[in-house]
Amino acid sequence: SRGYKSGAVPMLPTNVDAQREAAHQEKLTAYEIGTKLSLVDRAVQLNVAGFYYDYRGKQLFSAVLDPVFIALNRLVNVPKSRVIGAEAGVDVRPVRELSLHLGGAYTDTKIQEFQGFDRGGVPTDFAGRSFPYSPKWQFNGSIGYDAPVTPSLALAANVSANYQSKTSGSIGGEQGFEVKGYTVVNASLTLHDADEKWRVGFYANNLFNKYYWSAVDKAADLVFRVPGMARTYGLRLSWNY
């Protein structure tokens, strides 16, 4: 398949004219092969895919020189880059009440041609470097159990976890912009009627209150990190009509 992303002028605080230059259209040629299999009398669903993305003019944020702040962000076109990866997921339902899911993905990004500046204003050849915010490994899994407790009521419990490996908040993975790998666990316990007309339950996101960074960026001469959402919990009510 082939797709395009239109040119853009990002809404950024600017100090030099070069930051306001528009990025032109991005082109992607994608190759993908995979399969979706129903196994064991449909108790197991297996999905597997491999892909190769060939980019021309990919839009990424990089730096331009500035006489006051040394280097500032702007949206640029990387002449040539590619992504190689694979993903798989399996869903298992051994009995009607129990559902299991496990998924994973491997993504290898590489800039093949791009001359620019790092966040310190140093001229840099980024060939061979990776995209920002592109972890190589991602895994997710969940366990759900939904069973009747009376003829008219049922109780549903679910636990899920998501993991991603380390990545970087800067093009090329510059020092100081690392985003460490992390795992976040969510859980819920819900009571509902047999006809699914109403549901009431408790939930907890980031159950173990994991401290992690979701982003790293630079403002003037300061590098700052954005923490992910702390543990949140509460009560959910829903009604279908």
Side-chain angles (χ1 to χ4, degrees), residues 21-39:
E21 292 179 9
H24 60 71
Q25 180 176 262
E26 168 188 312
K27 181 176 76 172
L28 167 64
T29 304
Y31 307 86
E32 184 170 348
I33 186 170
T35 184
K36 297 183 177 182
L37 301 173
S38 294
L39 308 170

Side-chain angles (χ1 to χ4, degrees), residues 127-238:
R129 308 284 187 92
S130 58
F131 297 172
Y133 299 112
S134 300
K136 280 197 172 184
W137 295 100
Q138 297 181 76
F139 296 102
N140 61 83
S142 65
I143 300 175
Y145 191 80
D146 191 343
V149 291
T150 72
S152 59
L153 295 176
L155 191 64
N158 184 270
V159 177
S160 64
N162 294 276
Y163 164 81
Q164 76 165 45
S165 61
K166 65 180 180 179
T167 183
S168 175
S170 176
I171 184 172
E174 297 174 48
Q175 186 176 2
F177 290 85
E178 301 88 354
V179 177
K180 297 179 180 179
Y182 59 87
T183 301
V184 174
V185 177
N186 304 321
S188 65
L189 185 65
T190 304
L191 183 70
H192 63 88
D193 72 323
D195 297 327
E196 297 277 359
K197 287 185 177 180
W198 57 266
R199 299 175 71 90
V200 56
F202 295 97
Y203 72 91
N205 295 331
N206 193 0
L207 179 63
F208 299 111
N209 204 26
K210 172 69 175 178
Y211 177 78
Y212 65 96
W213 306 328
S214 62
V216 182
D217 208 345
K218 183 179 181 182
D221 58 352
L222 176 68
V223 175
F224 64 90
R225 294 172 173 84
V226 181
M229 182 70 73
R231 178 171 53 218
T232 59
Y233 52 89
L235 177 69
R236 287 195 180 106
L237 302 172
S238 65

